[in-house]
Each structure stands twice: as C-alpha cells, then as structure tokens.
C-alpha cells in the first residue's frame, strides 16, 4: 500500500484539537482519496473522558455520509493520549474496527513536544506506518 | 418489510464487497437475524456475548441511531434505510507510574483499574479551603480525583495553620486557593485544580456547581451551607455536608430527591445566637476527622462503593470519642425538595440567618 500523504496543517490541527480538549481525549477522522488526506473532521468524544474516546454516533454517521458522497474513505482516525505515549493501548487495539484506516495518536505526555504517530491496527497486530508530509 | 442496509468499508469484505444489501424484518432485531442468516460472517460481527448486539456496533434507521429510537425494537417499514457502522473508539491506559502510585487502591477488587479511571475522570468541587476543606482536598487529590474545583475568597492568616493543612507558613497573606493549588500539585501532579478565588453566591453557584460530579461543603457559615444545599439540589448533584463546633462534628450526604439540608434544618439559627467561627475554640484534629470522612463519602459516591451517608446524619463527639447516627429522610413539606416546592431558584442567602430557629431532629 502506498504511503499516506498528509499536509502539515492537518498534523497541526490534530495537535491543536488535542490541546484544546486536554485533559480529556479528543478524536476525529481524516477523510480523503487515493492516499491523500482532503479533510479533517473534528468529532465529539461522547465519553468525555481522559481514558476513553468514542466518536459521537450521530456525528460518525454524518462524517461517514459526507465522505461517501465525496467518494472519500476514512484514511485516518485520530485521537489523543493526554498522559501517555503515542502508541496504541490495548483498549485502542481491542476497539480497532477500521482495519483500512490509519490510526493517528497524538501524545501530550511531554506538553512542550507533542508527538504524532500513525499505526495500522489489523487483527490485533500493530504496525507503525511512515507518513509523507506534503505541501498543499 | 424490505429495507436497504448500508454496509461501511470495514464490513464490505463480509458482504462480497457490496455497499448496500437488502434486508427483511418488522423490527431492527428481526432484520439483524435476517442478516445473520444470509451473511454469517457479518452476523458474527453483529452478535456479541449472549447474542446481544455488541456495544461497538451502532445501528441507524433513517439516519437516527437506534438508542434514540426504540433500540432493537425499533419498527421498520418498506423502503427504510438502515446503516450498520462500527464505533470509532479506544483510549489510553493508566501509565505505569499511575499503576504504581494508585496500586494500593487499584488492588481493592471493587476499585481496580476501572475504578481508578473513574476517579481520574471525576470532578469534585470542594467549597472552602480551611479546616474541613484542607484534609478533604488532600485526600481527594492523593486518591487521584482528576479535577478538583476549590472555592475560597480568603487569604491565609497565621491562625489558620493550626488546622488548615493545605497551606504552609510561607503562604501567610497569600490567597488560599493559590497555596492550595501548589500543595496539591506537589501531592499529585495528576490532579488539575480549578481555583475560584471568590465567594459562592446566588449569582455564580449554579454555574460552578453544575460543572462537577460531587460537591463537598467545607464551610463555616450557614448562608453558604444553605446556598450549597440549594444549588446542589437544583443542579442535581450529590452534596456532602460537614460541620464542626467545639468538640462535635457532623457529616452527611444529600442525594437529590432523597432529602436535603432543609429537610433536616428548615431554617438556620438566628444570627444573634451563632457565634463567629473565629471566636470559637477548636482543635484542628476535629475538622481533620470530619473533612476526611467527607472525602471518603465523595470517593464512595464516585466509585459506587458501599452505603453512603445519605439518609443518615453522622455525629462525632470527640471528647467521648463516639460516633452516633441519626436517621434522616426527605420531608414532603420541604420548601426545596418537598412535594410542593417554593424554592425554584437561588435567592437571597443573607436574610436567612435572621429567621427563627426551627431546627428539627428526625430521630
Ligand atoms: Zn429538602
């Protein structure tokens, strides 16, 4: 599979969202086509928790519909780890039902140096993927 | 009934790559059975333990998630559009540092990691950073209550240090909420303190109380106690109340709908007979005991542990070193939580102190 191409502004937007929601976890979706991210959808964490996220079901439906209408896929799914590393937790793996999407995790463990990493989570297996930062 | 079922990308490998399949059923439950029969692999995804729809699958009928309709009993009609979409969910785990810090309470079977997450997600408002609020806040923070709101408008006086263990000698003259925030940060950096350097009054109480899960009253005057009682009831929040006088302390919990402070004491004593708290002698250990019990009750409420003090007033006699209990109950005549309430919003709390004494023990 080709490397995912993403503009820096989407990375920045994920970090900004994580900081805004901290200490709670934030979450959202990266929609796009042909391995290129075209839109970031911020979503509401229905759990309102520092240890759980769950995209509000009605919002998930709307985001999914908009992507379908544009012929986009969920290229990425992102959430934050306010206190821990940017690596999928057992909970993340257990609830990873979108094997074709890249799971982005924003860690705020080191507040001054937020870290963003991307993983493929398929059948319980975690594989870190490189992403290509592209110009607009 | 024939309906169209939308299949999202992650499930299409289970439906021969089709985005839409036809389904039949009078209700969502019947439709799910129909799908299980015709697409067994999809059926496995739609069936959790015990055969129920797993919580990680959302079902939508005509764009509405079925929990907002009638669940699996939601009726279907010809031409309805149903969607079956897996949740997007997960979350970080406790760090290894947190596992160690809280290990002694995580090992309690009824607490565990899930209970610790509840504590870290909890928001408790401690009103008063004095003799009662200090021990309460210290223990709540040490236990890892993730967000502590602390309300106090005062500056620290040297005479406070005999009992107010949130503050230290170099803090004399500083706002108590500031030194409280520093002390708590040193006890436990997991805790976020939201300081309110203001007096709680009818204008701000509901807005502040509304942002918390549990209210801990740690105040030394009747005005604020009635205000907190009313605000907690109106906001639907459990209120842990504590008070001390000379060698006696009292503590109880009010759960909205199960009685309130006004059921117990319809009106405060007249202001003339209430001595100023600063003129009454006190050993710091008394508010220490009562404040710690208040913290304990708040932790139990968050964790859903044991029996709360709701319906009981616990009275502590420090000289005899005895605890007594008095049963309390909701008063149908209560102006706040009774059958025909007259208090529907926060009013003026200064006037209360001059109303006649009408305290009542429902022994
Ligand atoms: Zn009442």
């Amino acid at each position: 599979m080709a490397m995912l191409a993403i503009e820096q502004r989407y990375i920045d937007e994920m970090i900004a969202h994580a900081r805004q929601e901290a200490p709670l976890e934030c979450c959202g979706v990266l929609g796009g086509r042909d391995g290129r991210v075209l839109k970031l959808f911020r979503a509401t964490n229905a759990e309102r928790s520092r240890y759980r996220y769950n995209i509000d079901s009605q919002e998930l439906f709307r985001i999914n519909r908009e992507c379908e209408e544009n012929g986009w896929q969920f290229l990425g799914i992102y959430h934050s780890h306010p206190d821990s590393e940017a690596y999928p937790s057992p909970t993340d793996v257990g609830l990873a039902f979108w094997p074709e999407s890249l799971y982005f995790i924003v860690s705020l463990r080191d507040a001054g140096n937020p870290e963003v990493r991307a993983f493929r989570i398929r059948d319980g297996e975690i594989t870190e993927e490189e992403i290509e930062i592209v110009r607009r | 009934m024939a309906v169209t079922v939308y299949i999202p990308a992650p499930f299409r490998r289970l439906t021969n790559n089709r985005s839409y399949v036809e389904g039949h059923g009078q209700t969502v439950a019947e439709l799910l059975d129909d799908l299980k029969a015709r697409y067994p692999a999809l059926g496995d995804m739609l069936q959790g333990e015990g055969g129920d729809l797993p919580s990680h699958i959302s079902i939508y009928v005509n764009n509405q998630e079925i929990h907002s309709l009638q669940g699996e009993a939601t009726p279907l009609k010809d031409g309805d559009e149903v969607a079956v979409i897996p949740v997007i969910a997960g979350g970080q785990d406790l760090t290894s540092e947190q596992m160690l810090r809280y290990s002694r309470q995580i090992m309690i079977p009824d607490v565990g990691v899930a209970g610790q997450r509840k504590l870290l997600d909890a928001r408790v408002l401690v009103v008063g950073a004095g003799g009662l609020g200090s021990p309460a806040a210290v223990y709540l923070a040490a236990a890892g209550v993730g967000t502590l709101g602390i309300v106090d408008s005062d500056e620290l006086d040297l005479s406070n240090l005999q009992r107010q263990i949130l503050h230290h000698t170099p803090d004399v003259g500083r706002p108590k909420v500031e030194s409280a925030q520093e002390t708590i940060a040193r006890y436990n950096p997991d805790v976020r303190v939201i300081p309110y350097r203001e007096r709680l009054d009818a204008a701000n109480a509901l807005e502040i109380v509304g942002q918390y899960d549990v209210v801990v009253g740690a105040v030394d005057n009747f005005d604020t106690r009635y205000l907190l009682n009313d605000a907690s009831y109106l906001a639907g929040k459990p209120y842990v109340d504590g008070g001390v006088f000379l060698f006696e302390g009292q503590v109880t919990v009010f759960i909205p709908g199960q009685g309130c402070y006004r059921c117990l004491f319809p009106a405060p004593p007249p202001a003339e007979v209430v001595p100023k708290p600063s003129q009454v002698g006190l050993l710091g250990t008394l508010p220490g005991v009562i404040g710690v019990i208040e913290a304990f009750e708040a932790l139990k409420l968050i964790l859903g542990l044991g029996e709360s003090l709701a319906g009981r007033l616990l009275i502590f006699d420090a000289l005899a070193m005895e605890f007594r209990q008095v049963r309390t109950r909701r008063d149908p005549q209560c102006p706040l939580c009774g059958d025909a309430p007259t208090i529907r919003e926060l009013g003026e709390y200064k006037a209360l102190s001059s109303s006649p004494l009408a305290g009542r023990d429902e022994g």
Side-chain angles (χ1 to χ4, degrees), chain A residues 22-25 28-29 47-58 60-61 64-65 68 73-74 77 79-85 89-92 95-100 103 123, chain B residues 6-13 19-20 45 55-56 58 60 62-65 68 81 83 85-95 98 116-117 120-121 123 146-147 189-192:
Chain A
L24 306 185
E25 293 196 8
V29 170
E47 299 276 344
R48 291 187 49 76
S49 165
R50 184 165 167 176
Y51 297 93
R52 286 290 177 268
Y53 78 95
N54 189 348
I55 294 187
D56 174 83
S57 57
Q58 218 51 56
L60 173 59
F61 186 85
N64 188 66
R65 163 161 292 187
E68 286 281 359
Q73 292 118 35
F74 286 9
I77 286 167
H79 76 283
S80 60
H81 283 178
D83 311 292
S84 56
E85 63 178 335
S89 71
T91 311
D92 290 333
L95 293 172
F97 298 107
W98 296 76
E100 283 98 33
Y103 282 83
D123 300 326
Chain B
Y6 166 78
I7 306 293
F11 286 167
R12 282 177 201 153
R13 66 195 159 83
S19 315
Y20 291 92
M45 297 300 283
S55 59
H56 59 258
S58 299
Y60 305 80
N62 298 329
N63 312 347
Q64 285 297 311
E65 210 278 328
S68 64
E81 280 187 32
I85 303 181
V87 299
I88 293 183
Q92 69 177 357
D93 289 328
L94 300 189
T95 62
Q98 288 171 324
Q116 189 60 50
R117 276 202 312 267
L120 286 158
D121 269 340
R123 301 172 60 92
T147 304
D190 278 346
V191 179
R192 186 174 52 138

Side-chain angles (χ1 to χ4, degrees), chain B residues 259-263 330-331 334-338:
Chain B
C260 75
Y261 195 75
R262 288 180 187 273
C263 296
R330 176 177 163 272
D331 179 0
C334 174
L336 179 69
C337 75

Side-chain angles (χ1 to χ4, degrees), chain A residues 6 12 16 19 37 41 52 56 65-66 69 83 94 115-116 120 123 134:
Chain A
I6 184 168
D12 296 342
R19 283 186 163 145
V37 175
F41 297 87
R52 286 290 177 268
D56 174 83
R65 163 161 292 187
E66 184 176 333
E69 283 169 357
D83 311 292
E115 194 185 7
V116 182
R120 189 78 57 184
D123 300 326
V134 294

Side-chain angles (χ1 to χ4, degrees), chain B residues 4-327:
Chain B
T4 307
V5 182
Y6 166 78
I7 306 293
F11 286 167
R12 282 177 201 153
R13 66 195 159 83
L14 312 172
T15 57
N16 310 320
N17 281 321
R18 294 167 64 188
S19 315
Y20 291 92
V21 299
E22 204 187 72
H24 300 271
Q26 307 280 344
T27 62
V28 168
E30 286 181 23
L31 169 68
L32 293 177
D33 286 338
D34 177 54
L35 291 175
K36 284 172 199 167
R38 287 187 299 123
Y39 299 96
L42 180 64
D44 289 347
M45 297 300 283
L46 302 179
Q47 193 153 338
E49 278 170 44
D52 293 340
L53 183 67
S55 59
H56 59 258
I57 305 281
S58 299
I59 311 255
Y60 305 80
V61 175
N62 298 329
N63 312 347
Q64 285 297 311
E65 210 278 328
I66 57 169
H67 286 104
S68 64
L69 303 170
Q70 294 165 52
E72 289 182 57
T74 303
L76 298 173
K77 27 180 223 314
D78 262 328
D80 275 351
E81 280 187 32
V82 177
V84 178
I85 303 181
V87 299
I88 293 183
Q92 69 177 357
D93 289 328
L94 300 189
T95 62
S96 47
E97 222 172 80
Q98 288 171 324
M99 290 297 290
L100 190 57
R101 176 185 286 271
Y102 306 114
S103 53
R104 286 298 294 275
Q105 57 199 54
I106 287 174
M107 66 177 72
I108 301 170
D110 288 339
V111 179
V113 173
Q116 189 60 50
R117 276 202 312 267
K118 280 189 204 165
L119 291 173
L120 286 158
D121 269 340
R123 301 172 60 92
V124 175
L125 182 68
V126 177
V127 183
L132 291 165
S134 285
V138 164
Y139 276 98
L140 291 170
V145 169
T147 304
L148 277 182
I150 303 214
V151 186
D152 205 308
S153 62
D154 288 347
E155 281 104 45
L156 186 70
D157 188 82
L158 188 57
S159 66
N160 297 152
L161 286 169
Q162 163 257 17
R163 63 196 178 283
Q164 302 187 7
I165 59 170
L166 265 179
H167 320 288
H168 300 87
T169 304
D171 299 322
V172 169
R174 297 178 68 200
K176 287 189 190 176
V177 288
E178 258 180 37
S179 49
Q181 187 164 20
E182 280 179 19
T183 303
I184 288 169
R186 291 174 65 183
Y187 270 113
N188 189 350
D190 278 346
V191 179
R192 186 174 52 138
V193 171
I194 303 182
Y196 300 91
R197 193 187 165 189
E198 55 195 290
R199 269 187 181 284
L200 219 56
D201 58 29
N204 63 13
L206 266 182
E207 211 261 312
I208 295 175
V209 164
Q211 297 171 38
Y212 291 85
D213 305 318
V214 178
V215 178
V216 173
V219 298
D220 59 5
N221 68 84
F222 284 101
D223 296 334
T224 314
R225 238 162 151 183
Y226 279 87
L227 170 69
L228 268 182
N229 175 68
D230 295 1
S232 302
Y233 176 78
L234 293 172
K237 308 290 181 173
Y239 168 46
V240 182
D241 175 78
V244 292
F245 188 76
L246 288 174
F247 287 99
E248 194 176 279
Q250 295 184 348
V251 55
T252 187
V253 171
F254 298 111
I255 309 264
Q258 298 178 33
C260 75
Y261 195 75
R262 288 180 187 273
C263 296
L264 208 53
F265 305 109
E272 315 77 87
V273 310
V274 180
K276 281 184 67 171
S278 57
Q279 291 163 352
V280 181
L282 191 69
L283 283 169
T285 41
L286 175 62
V289 169
I290 299 299
V292 169
I293 294 175
E294 290 192 79
F296 211 147
E297 288 299 299
L299 295 176
K300 281 164 59 191
L301 288 169
I302 296 163
L303 293 166
L305 277 184
E307 306 281 319
S308 90
L309 274 176
R312 291 180 290 156
L313 176 67
L314 186 69
I315 299 168
F316 173 54
D317 177 343
L319 284 185
M321 203 45 83
E322 273 179 5
F323 285 95
R324 295 188 288 126
Q325 288 186 26
V326 177
R327 286 258 152 222

